[in-house]
Amino acid sequence: MKILIADDHPFTLQGTKSFVESYGYKVSDSCSNGISALNLIQLHTPEIAILDINMPGLDGLDVAKKVQESKLKTKIILLTMHKEMTIFKKASEYGIYGYILKEHAQTELEKCLLEVAKGNKYISQFLEDDLVVDSKNGNDEIAKLTLSERKIIELITQQKTSKQIAELLFLSEKTVEGHRSNIIEKLGLPKEKNTLLKWAILRADI
């Protein structure tokens, strides 16, 4: 069985690859962005693709959607730090087979692979509790944002400029500026200098 792994953090990518191989699986391809992941899935059709949700170019959800639309046989497992119900529902709509929270990957990934290899779906057993906790913590504002907008907020928190964000996400600077305006509008923030940076830094859960 061939497995593809995609994650934009080199340390996480290597760690996941070593972990998967330690259980006797063959990792046929690994890459650091969603565009490469989709290309490799189309080219080699691995049985399983383990994808990080947050990646440049195309995120894990984008890849899952395109795999579903193309009716490819590759089964998608998403590794994520996101606990919001909106993202989980979106992943379910795209027909993903596995959904694991990164903080529990070490204890759940092997079981997930076993189930998915058999054609079964595996959702993190910790997810339900985490989703409940998450909603109690009041993430209504975050739920208003798309995944792309969340990625932009994360980069703004790192004090990246629109030009730098555009380069990292393979977007035009004009598109990033459009996303910034949409985010400000959705969050009801004052239209002043660095308003998104100030808001993002105050949010420890971004």
Side-chain angles (χ1 to χ4, degrees), residues 1-113:
M1 180 168 63
K2 295 183 296 183
I3 295 176
L4 173 141
I5 301 173
D7 196 301
D8 64 336
H9 292 91
F11 184 78
T12 307
L13 178 63
Q14 187 56 47
T16 305
K17 183 175 184 290
S18 297
F19 186 84
V20 169
E21 288 177 337
S22 72
Y23 286 100
Y25 295 100
K26 176 180 173 55
V27 176
S28 56
D29 292 294
S30 61
C31 57
S32 60
N33 65 75
I35 294 172
S36 295
L38 182 61
N39 288 338
L40 288 167
I41 288 170
Q42 292 170 332
L43 190 63
H44 298 148
T45 322
E47 282 81 359
I48 294 173
I50 302 171
L51 309 175
D52 181 20
I53 279 195
N54 281 343
M55 289 187 293
L58 297 172
D59 59 50
L61 284 175
D62 293 332
V63 176
K65 182 181 181 182
K66 290 183 181 297
V67 166
Q68 183 189 58
E69 289 172 347
S70 302
K71 295 182 169 57
L72 298 172
K73 293 182 179 180
T74 300
K75 298 177 176 67
I76 303 294
I77 295 173
L78 291 178
L79 285 179
T80 178
M81 291 187 291
H82 291 291
K83 303 171 184 178
E84 297 91 340
M85 179 63 82
T86 49
I87 292 180
F88 173 65
K89 284 183 176 177
K90 189 68 70 177
S92 299
E93 287 172 18
Y94 296 156
I96 57 99
Y97 273 76
Y99 195 96
I100 299 178
L101 299 173
K102 279 192 171 183
E103 63 199 87
H104 303 299
Q106 196 165 352
T107 56
E108 291 197 298
L109 187 53
E110 183 194 8
K111 186 175 181 182
C112 178
L113 283 168

Side-chain angles (χ1 to χ4, degrees), residues 138-152:
N139 273 332
D140 292 342
E141 289 177 312
I142 303 294
K144 296 175 186 175
L145 305 181
T146 66
L147 198 59
S148 295
E149 290 167 348
R150 292 171 202 225
K151 284 194 287 190
I152 287 170

